[in-house]
């Protein structure tokens, strides 16, 4: 994997999930403004890894996705706890059987979802349904952290 030591990463903790939720609230409070959305998606891209609920086989993972008005959205999660909560709420697991999660480090997670865009996925949504903010797949390459950037 291409580790980028100069790119700040948020640890995968409940604190990171809470920060994403806070930034999403800022977006909902000012839906016409771009800056809150940029801050939110930069924070999401700064996670060390993204978690996906696996709907495929362990050796051929397929991320959980939803049908939205804009099209198919892959659900990404900021923590295993958020993914488990969503899976229980959507009836994907009873909580008694083990749930298959896929943990993908950044920036490989971005690359995977961008590749899914070539198969018809139009966007990603974070911590659905708790947060549910989304962005088009076409925006994801812009989130790739540039290791030569000082910002």
């Amino acid at each position: 994997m291409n580790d980028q030591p100069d790119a700040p990463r948020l640890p995968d903790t409940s604190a990171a999930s809470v920060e994403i939720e806070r930034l999403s609230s800022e977006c909902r409070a000012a839906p016409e403004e771009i800056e809150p959305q940029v801050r939110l998606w930069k924070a999401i891209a700064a996670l060390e890894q993204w978690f996906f609920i696996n709907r495929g086989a362990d050796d051929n993972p397929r991320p959980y996705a939803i049908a939205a008005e804009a099209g198919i959205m892959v659900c990404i999660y900021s923590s295993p706890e958020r993914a488990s909560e969503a899976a229980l709420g959507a009836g994907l697991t009873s909580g008694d059987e083990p749930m298959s999660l896929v943990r993908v480090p950044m920036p490989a997670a971005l690359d995977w979802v961008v590749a899914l865009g070539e198969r018809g996925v139009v966007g990603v949504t974070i911590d659905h349904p708790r947060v549910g903010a989304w962005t088009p797949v076409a925006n994801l390459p812009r989130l790739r952290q540039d290791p030569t950037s000082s910002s």
Side-chain angles (χ1 to χ4, degrees), residues 31-108:
E32 319 77 36
E33 296 191 28
I34 298 298
E35 277 308 306
Q37 295 176 41
V38 170
R39 285 192 300 273
L40 170 64
W41 285 96
K42 281 186 174 181
I44 294 165
L47 291 166
E48 289 178 355
Q49 55 210 349
W50 286 354
F51 297 89
F52 301 84
I53 299 169
N54 185 15
R55 302 300 290 156
D58 287 342
D59 62 347
N60 187 20
R62 184 173 46 94
Y64 173 61
I66 58 170
E69 189 174 319
I72 301 297
M73 304 265 179
V74 167
C75 298
I76 59 175
Y77 295 93
S78 57
S79 70
E81 294 79 19
R82 291 283 170 100
S84 294
E85 174 185 292
L88 278 168
L92 302 175
T93 181
S94 67
D96 294 331
E97 70 269 358
M99 185 181 64
S100 178
L101 286 182
V102 178
R103 179 187 61 82
V104 183
M106 294 297 275

Side-chain angles (χ1 to χ4, degrees), residues 72-74 110-118 120-124 134-143:
I72 301 297
M73 304 265 179
V74 167
L110 280 169
D111 297 339
W112 189 31
V113 177
V114 167
L116 292 171
E118 296 169 7
V121 170
V122 300
V124 295
W134 75 278
T135 194
V137 167
N139 288 350
L140 295 179
R142 294 183 205 142
L143 297 175

Side-chain angles (χ1 to χ4, degrees), residues 12-27:
D12 296 313
T13 65
S14 59
S17 294
V18 169
E19 177 64 3
I20 287 169
E21 203 165 323
R22 185 189 70 74
L23 291 168
S24 179
S25 293
E26 286 182 12
C27 292

